[in-house]
Amino acid sequence: MEGKDAVREVARIPVMCAPLRAVKFGLLLPQPELPEVEFSRRLVQKSLAKKRISAVKVANDKIVCQVPAGRLKALKGRTVKQCRRWGKQLWFEMDKGPSPMFHLGMTGSFHVKGRNSLKYVRLKEDDPKTWPPKFWKVEFQMSDGTCFAMSDPRRFGRIGLSTSVWEEPCMAKMGFDPLLQMPRVEDFARQLARRSGDIKAVLLDQSFAAGVGNWVADEVLYQAAVHPQDVAKNLSPNAVKALHRTLRQVVKKACQVNTDAKKFPRTWLFHYRWELEPFEGGLPADSTTWLELGPVEVKAPSLRMAKDVKSGFSPLEGAPPPTCPPCNGRRNEEKRQSDETIFK
C-alpha cells in the first residue's frame, strides 16, 4: 500500500491509539510549538549572548540552509547580542550585519555542547556530550569555547539571513504572540468575531496566534471546554473569555517548566494525546467524542466535562478529572522504544 491509499488508511486512526505505521507517515510526530521554540531561545540566550563567533561550519544541505554557505560563514567575527523569538520564528540579533534566522520545522533543535537540548515526545533524546549532534546543519564555535548547532533529521527546518527581520514575509503576517503580547480579552473577542472558520483552525492560523500548534490548540480547547468545530465568530462571551484565559495559562505554564512534560499539570490532555494504546479499561461511553478533523481523528471533551468546567472545576489545577484514567504505562513504553528506532 503506497501513497494516497496508505495515507487514507492512516487517516481513520484515532490520535490516542494510533499504531506505529501512523508515526512512519509523519502524521502523529510531535512538532515544536511556541513553548518548545521558547525553550530553544532561552538555551541560546543563556549560552551565546554577548559572545563572539570564532568559527562557522555549514552542512551541505541546500534545503535547510536557504542561503549560500559562504554568507553564513561570513558571520565569523560577529557578536551575538541576543536571541529573539516571535511565534515559531527565531533569530540572533547581531552587533552588525544580517541576523541569522531559524525555523525548527518539524523536528529541528538547537544544541549547546554539554547542555541538554529540546526533548521531543516519542523521539530519542540526544546525548549532550556527543558533538557535533546527529543531523547537524550549522555549527557556531564561540570565542570562549562554547559550541552551538542546529540539527534537523527530517529537514523541514530553515536557516536564513535577514537585514530586516520584521519585514520578512514570514514575520509581517504573523498574529499576536500569546507569551510576549497577549491581547486584552476585548481585542481577542473582536479578532474572533471576524473569523468564520472552526475555532481550532483559527487557533492554528499563524496570522491569528503566532506559535500555536496542534498540542497547544487541543490543550486550550480541552481546558476551556470549547468544541474544536465551533465557529469562531459564534462563540459565546463566556467561551471567548475561557479561551483567552486558558491560552495564556497553558502557554505560560509550559514555558515556566521549560516544556518538561513531567511538570505539566496531570489534568492536561497532553499526557494522553501521545499514547499508542487505548486507555486501560477504556473510557466511559459518554466521556469523549470522536472528531474527524483533517488527516486524523481526535478526541474532544465531553459535554459532561464542559458542565464540570462551567460549574467551577478547573482542569488546569486540582485532581485529575474522571475522564482521564491512567494509561497502560508498560505497554506504551514498549511502543515508544519501538518508535525511537525509526530515528536512530
Side-chain angles (χ1 to χ4, degrees):
M1 184 177 296
E2 298 180 353
K4 293 182 179 179
D5 291 335
V7 173
R8 189 177 298 115
E9 181 189 66
V10 177
R12 293 293 300 174
I13 300 170
V15 166
M16 288 188 180
C17 39
L20 183 59
R21 64 179 180 277
V23 179
K24 292 182 178 179
F25 285 109
L27 295 178
L28 304 177
L29 285 172
Q31 300 180 32
E33 302 182 26
L34 190 157
E36 289 83 6
V37 180
E38 175 63 14
F39 171 90
S40 300
R41 186 201 69 80
R42 293 176 182 180
L43 176 66
V44 169
Q45 181 67 21
K46 292 179 181 178
S47 304
L48 304 189
K50 300 181 180 180
K51 295 180 181 180
R52 182 174 57 85
I53 300 174
S54 60
V56 179
K57 296 181 180 179
V58 183
N60 184 21
D61 191 331
K62 295 182 179 180
I63 294 177
V64 176
C65 300
Q66 299 280 287
V67 294
R71 291 188 60 194
L72 287 171
K73 291 180 179 179
L75 293 171
K76 179 181 176 180
R78 308 279 172 79
T79 298
V80 178
K81 294 175 64 177
Q82 61 177 324
C83 181
R84 301 188 63 185
R85 179 196 62 78
W86 191 270
K88 301 177 185 179
Q89 198 72 48
L90 290 154
W91 68 96
F92 294 178
E93 205 171 78
M94 310 299 288
D95 60 338
K96 59 181 179 179
S99 296
M101 296 187 70
F102 305 87
H103 193 287
L104 299 181
M106 291 183 68
T107 54
S109 185
F110 280 179
H111 304 262
V112 173
K113 188 175 181 179
R115 301 194 61 174
N116 291 327
S117 57
L118 183 62
K119 173 67 174 70
Y120 285 106
V121 175
R122 292 168 56 188
L123 295 186
K124 185 178 180 180
E125 188 171 8
D126 295 311
D127 183 353
K129 296 180 181 179
T130 300
W131 201 265
K134 198 173 182 180
F135 306 113
W136 72 276
K137 303 303 175 185
V138 67
E139 179 186 356
F140 294 167
Q141 295 179 5
M142 314 306 288
S143 56
D144 68 342
T146 302
C147 293
F148 159 84
M150 174 183 165
S151 66
D152 187 6
R154 301 202 70 201
R155 304 172 72 197
F156 285 99
R158 295 293 181 265
I159 302 171
L161 289 171
S162 177
T163 55
S164 302
V165 171
W166 292 105
E167 295 178 8
E168 293 292 330
C170 61
M171 298 291 294
K173 297 180 180 180
M174 281 194 185
F176 65 86
D177 185 294
L179 182 66
L180 300 177
Q181 196 181 68
M182 187 68 188
R184 297 181 307 167
V185 66
E186 296 83 5
D187 297 329
F188 185 73
R190 279 193 288 270
Q191 292 186 46
L192 286 178
R194 296 194 293 265
R195 301 279 182 152
S196 57
D198 294 350
I199 184 57
K200 181 174 179 181
V202 171
L203 289 175
L204 294 176
D205 186 343
Q206 299 302 290
S207 68
F208 176 76
V212 175
N214 264 302
W215 86 255
V216 171
D218 288 344
E219 196 65 59
V220 169
L221 292 169
Y222 180 72
Q223 302 297 340
V226 173
H227 196 289
Q229 291 179 318
D230 282 350
V231 177
K233 66 180 182 181
N234 294 339
L235 292 176
S236 69
N238 286 340
V240 171
K241 290 179 181 178
L243 274 178
H244 182 270
R245 181 181 66 255
T246 55
L247 176 56
R248 183 181 65 251
Q249 290 177 339
V250 166
V251 169
K252 183 179 180 180
K253 182 62 178 179
C255 292
Q256 278 180 344
V257 299
N258 288 321
T259 69
D260 185 347
K262 295 179 181 179
K263 297 180 181 179
F264 288 174
R266 294 308 304 170
T267 52
W268 278 20
L269 180 67
F270 185 95
H271 298 290
Y272 307 99
R273 62 176 286 118
W274 309 107
E275 302 303 335
L276 297 181
E277 296 290 337
F279 295 134
E280 187 174 16
L283 287 170
D286 64 343
S287 66
T288 58
T289 301
W290 291 96
L291 298 175
E292 190 172 359
L293 301 175
V296 292
E297 292 180 346
V298 300
K299 285 184 176 181
S302 66
L303 292 177
R304 184 178 67 186
M305 186 61 186
K307 292 178 181 178
D308 289 340
V309 174
K310 291 176 182 177
S311 65
F313 173 77
S314 174
L316 284 167
E317 299 176 357
T323 52
C324 291
C327 57
N328 189 332
R330 181 184 60 79
R331 295 176 64 191
N332 286 320
E333 181 61 29
E334 293 173 356
K335 286 287 187 178
R336 288 193 191 94
Q337 292 174 358
S338 299
D339 294 348
E340 291 172 355
T341 61
I342 299 174
F343 293 94
K344 285 185 178 180

